[in-house]
Amino acid sequence: MIVKHWDELTPVEVYVLARLRTEVFLREQGCTEEELDWRDLEATTEHYLLPAEEDAAPGETAGHPALAAYLRVLTDPDAEGDGLVIGRVVTDPAHRGKGLASRLLAAVIERHGDEPLLLHAQVYAAGLYAKAGFAPVGEEFDEAGIPHITMVRPA
């Protein structure tokens, strides 16, 4: 697991995280909103990267570097509790069903568990976040053409 701020990421890490997010959010899910929103570059944004080789069987990875899963954590003064917002949670289709998103969430909670955390969950994935201690707040809403619900994990 790699945790870095934007200015610490290598060009290859930037490329593979942008590629994964583009492949899943734009191509697979058909999101209607801009994927690269400039929030990645903010000094306080944390990028959690799980390289594919950390999820592969010995000898399984070859060729170009890739990510198995990724998420980012934003500092957002408009968030409930003046806290942190988890977003862009994504797992490469070839690595799904292995608990990688849960590993990323656990790393965020280990680092920031004493702070309130907020996220906008795709409705179908709300159970994943509930297992990590997040509870739904409010009604479902449309974000980028996909049903979402706000979820909060208290400090």
Side-chain angles (χ1 to χ4, degrees), residues 59-72:
E60 187 177 74
T61 58
H64 302 294
L67 285 180
Y70 166 89
L71 65 71
R72 73 179 183 188

Side-chain angles (χ1 to χ4, degrees), residues 13-104:
E13 289 167 337
V14 170
Y15 182 88
V16 296
L17 78 83
R19 180 178 170 88
L20 176 60
R21 286 171 33 180
T22 299
E23 289 295 321
V24 173
F25 297 134
L26 298 179
R27 289 191 176 176
E28 179 184 323
Q29 297 181 347
C31 289
T32 58
E33 294 183 14
E34 188 173 341
E35 167 50 28
L36 298 174
D37 61 2
W38 297 100
R39 300 291 315 265
D40 294 309
L41 282 70
E42 294 175 4
T44 57
T45 298
E46 296 173 348
H47 300 273
Y48 290 69
L49 301 88
L50 187 60
E53 61 267 14
E54 288 187 32
D55 181 51
E60 187 177 74
T61 58
H64 302 294
L67 285 180
Y70 166 89
L71 65 71
R72 73 179 183 188
V73 176
L74 303 173
T75 300
D76 195 340
D78 295 328
E80 291 182 28
D82 207 25
L84 301 173
V85 179
I86 297 172
R88 300 300 200 262
V89 181
V90 60
T91 302
D92 184 288
H95 297 272
R96 289 184 184 152
K98 301 175 182 179
L100 302 183
S102 293
R103 282 180 56 191
L104 289 171

Side-chain angles (χ1 to χ4, degrees), residues 114-134:
D114 60 342
E115 301 171 69
L117 299 169
L118 177 138
L119 56 83
H120 296 161
Q122 292 183 8
V123 170
Y124 82 89
L128 163 76
Y129 301 112
K131 288 179 186 174
F134 289 83

